[in-house]
Amino acid sequence: MTQQMEQKNKKNHKEHRDELAELFAEAQRHLEAGKELAGKDGALQPLLKKLLEASLEGEIDAHLKSEGNSNRRNGKGNKTVKTQYGKVELDTPRDRQSSFEPILVPKRQRTLGASIDNKILGLYSMGMSYRDIGAHVEETYGIELSQGMLTAITDQIWEEVEAWRTRPLEELYPCLWLDAMVFKVREEGRIVKKAVYMALARTMEGQKELLGFYMGEAESAKFWMRVLSDLQERGVQDILICCIDNLSGFVEAVNAVYPETDVQLCLIHQLRNSLKFVSWQDRKAVAKDLRKVYSGVDEQAALVELDRFEAKWGKKYRPIVKSWRKNWPELATMFNYTAGIRTMIYTTNTIEGFHRQIRKVTKTKGAFSSERALVKLLFLAQMRISQSWTRVPNTWRKTKIELVINYEERIKRYYHY
């Protein structure tokens, strides 16, 4: 019996070799006749069809063997696959239990190989439109893809998006930056503005990590509280320092969820808001005197400069002095640290730099077709951007030591060093 099977296998292998040899010969004849490699009647199309079908046959044989006697073949189906050599009509094997999942040409996939899909996702993550992606794929691979097919390909990542947005987070982050971006989205036949709430952190190992982004309406402290509550539900128990702008109610929102967190207001935002009250001829002098305030060696020196500023400009620009006095507890948080941490937290530049990279991707978009389209692009863009976040700042070891000294008991709750 074994000898008969060996003879049968040898016969099948010989038939396959002879058939492949004939296909190669046919391809050579086509080329000699001046036909193209690619295209509907291209020289390689019959060979590719045979190779793909042979691979599918091998896959189903292995699948049925693994299932023993519980499953059988159930004829063949028909499927058109787009390749760089043109469309290929395939006879695809089926099984009775419909449990066969081809690897080479998966069910519902209409393009050959994951490399093309990955290329499409990569182009989409860089902000290219479906029209431009389609033109690029057609020029490069000779494959025509409709907008519907391109949408289906980018939709393949949706489960990954949802998994990323709900993934568990670390219990402790030493620094968190919060800021929002605004995008235009088509919704029910009209264009509306959507605020995307971004939460960017630095881990105890010194690496940046985007904890999440959240879709909302106009930026508000109330929604920021929802963002912080979501981070808490995903495992974030403590944040040492949180850096924010001076949106009304923002400090209270942070303190409501993380009462132990030290809040640092962005000094650059404070300065910009202050200069709104200043006449053009005074702007340079006022900015110079305010710089003396936040450049002080310590909080006492900074307060001395603030008193001098008030004596000089207080009558003319009372709202500026009032704003600095009111926000001083959160503006002065940075004076609790040495220059290394102070430089890291006194502005929201860290997250604004990330926003600039996102804007490079989205700048060509007048309005997104849907909120889902915006989320897909933001996810792919941040995945690409975060690949460069593996490098840890050279000063992080010193920064970490200072954090441990300042927050030893809190860090020990969650982090062993």
Side-chain angles (χ1 to χ4, degrees):
M1 184 71 176
T2 304
Q3 188 176 2
Q4 290 178 347
M5 290 181 65
E6 289 180 355
Q7 290 177 349
K8 184 178 180 180
N9 287 336
K10 287 180 179 179
K11 182 180 178 182
N12 289 337
H13 289 322
K14 184 178 183 303
E15 289 177 353
H16 285 314
R17 284 198 303 270
D18 292 343
E19 194 169 359
L20 286 174
E22 176 57 31
L23 285 169
F24 277 118
E26 184 180 353
Q28 185 176 359
R29 288 194 297 271
H30 281 202
L31 290 174
E32 290 173 351
K35 290 189 175 182
E36 298 290 336
L37 279 171
K40 181 179 179 181
D41 299 317
L44 290 183
Q45 194 183 51
L47 180 60
L48 183 58
K49 172 180 169 65
K50 183 63 181 177
L51 289 172
L52 291 174
E53 289 179 347
S55 297
L56 289 170
E57 290 294 330
E59 285 190 49
I60 195 169
D61 284 342
H63 174 71
L64 294 175
K65 185 177 180 181
S66 67
E67 295 200 342
N69 297 323
S70 63
N71 200 359
R72 293 287 187 275
R73 287 176 176 267
N74 189 33
K76 293 184 179 182
N78 186 268
K79 181 176 185 176
T80 302
V81 177
K82 293 186 177 183
T83 77
Q84 59 181 312
Y85 304 109
K87 293 181 180 179
V88 178
E89 297 282 345
L90 297 179
D91 294 324
T92 56
R94 298 180 301 197
D95 64 321
R96 291 181 180 178
Q97 297 179 2
S98 299
S99 59
F100 175 50
E101 295 285 348
I103 298 174
L104 183 63
V105 187
K107 291 179 179 179
R108 295 173 295 278
Q109 181 170 307
R110 298 293 177 178
T111 57
L112 177 62
S115 60
I116 296 177
D117 287 4
N118 290 337
K119 182 70 173 178
I120 290 168
L121 292 174
L123 295 172
Y124 189 74
S125 75
M126 291 187 286
M128 287 184 66
S129 66
Y130 283 146
R131 179 181 296 177
D132 291 339
I133 292 172
H136 176 81
V137 171
E138 184 175 3
E139 181 180 351
T140 306
Y141 300 102
I143 300 174
E144 295 182 16
L145 296 174
S146 66
Q147 181 168 328
M149 290 188 67
L150 290 170
T151 301
I153 290 171
T154 57
D155 275 345
Q156 292 174 13
I157 65 161
W158 194 253
E159 287 187 10
E160 189 177 346
V161 172
E162 291 300 321
W164 179 84
R165 295 173 82 177
T166 57
R167 75 193 188 282
L169 300 172
E170 294 184 18
E171 291 182 304
L172 171 72
Y173 288 94
C175 196
L176 176 68
W177 292 269
L178 301 175
D179 199 12
M181 306 179 72
V182 178
F183 296 94
K184 293 179 180 179
V185 177
R186 296 185 186 278
E187 193 174 86
E188 298 179 355
R190 59 194 182 96
I191 296 177
V192 298
K193 290 183 178 180
K194 293 283 185 178
V196 179
Y197 295 72
M198 300 280 190
L200 178 66
R202 197 173 285 279
T203 69
M204 281 300 294
E205 301 306 323
Q207 293 180 330
K208 285 189 289 187
E209 179 185 351
L210 186 68
L211 304 187
F213 60 82
Y214 304 80
M215 306 296 296
E217 305 303 326
E219 186 179 7
S220 68
K222 184 178 180 181
F223 195 96
W224 274 119
M225 188 178 293
R226 289 172 56 187
V227 170
L228 291 162
S229 297
D230 180 74
L231 297 180
Q232 192 175 61
E233 289 174 5
R234 290 165 59 197
V236 183
Q237 300 302 310
D238 199 357
I239 298 162
L240 301 182
I241 308 168
C242 185
C243 308
I244 62 175
D245 58 30
N246 53 5
L247 176 72
S248 178
F250 207 163
V251 175
E252 291 77 10
V254 175
N255 290 335
V257 183
Y258 294 103
E260 292 185 283
T261 297
D262 291 332
V263 178
Q264 172 65 51
L265 289 182
C266 177
L267 282 158
I268 301 305
H269 279 82
Q270 179 72 24
L271 181 62
R272 289 174 187 162
N273 290 337
S274 298
L275 294 178
K276 292 178 182 178
F277 297 99
V278 181
S279 62
W280 183 253
Q281 60 267 28
D282 291 337
R283 284 176 69 89
K284 191 172 181 180
V286 169
K288 182 179 178 180
D289 289 340
L290 285 174
R291 192 176 298 112
K292 293 177 183 177
V293 176
Y294 62 81
S295 298
V297 293
D298 54 32
E299 185 175 1
Q300 185 177 357
L303 283 170
V304 169
E305 291 298 335
L306 184 57
D307 290 339
R308 290 175 180 169
F309 180 89
E310 183 173 9
K312 182 177 179 180
W313 300 101
K315 290 183 179 180
K316 190 172 185 179
Y317 299 116
R318 171 53 54 185
I320 296 178
V321 176
K322 184 178 179 181
S323 175
W324 280 77
R325 296 289 187 192
K326 176 186 175 183
N327 294 329
W328 187 254
E330 287 75 33
L331 291 171
T333 298
M334 66 176 188
F335 291 116
N336 296 330
Y337 313 96
T338 60
I341 296 181
R342 196 180 298 183
T343 302
M344 181 175 70
I345 68 171
Y346 84 100
T347 73
T348 54
N349 279 352
T350 300
I351 194 168
E352 287 179 359
F354 171 68
H355 286 180
R356 284 192 292 273
Q357 291 178 289
I358 293 291
R359 289 294 182 197
K360 288 180 182 179
V361 174
T362 60
K363 64 182 180 182
T364 59
K365 308 289 185 181
F368 286 87
S369 58
S370 65
E371 185 176 304
R372 186 184 179 97
L374 173 57
V375 170
K376 286 192 298 183
L377 180 55
L378 291 176
F379 171 75
L380 288 169
Q382 69 83 24
M383 289 291 286
R384 182 173 53 83
I385 293 168
S386 63
Q387 290 175 0
S388 63
W389 289 352
T390 55
R391 190 177 67 84
V392 176
N394 295 330
T395 59
W396 184 252
R397 184 174 180 274
K398 182 179 178 181
T399 299
K400 186 175 178 179
I401 292 172
E402 184 177 349
L403 289 169
V404 170
I405 292 172
N406 280 274
Y407 301 99
E408 184 175 9
E409 292 304 317
R410 287 166 63 187
I411 292 176
K412 279 183 176 179
R413 297 177 198 167
Y414 313 105
Y415 185 81
H416 301 287
Y417 52 88

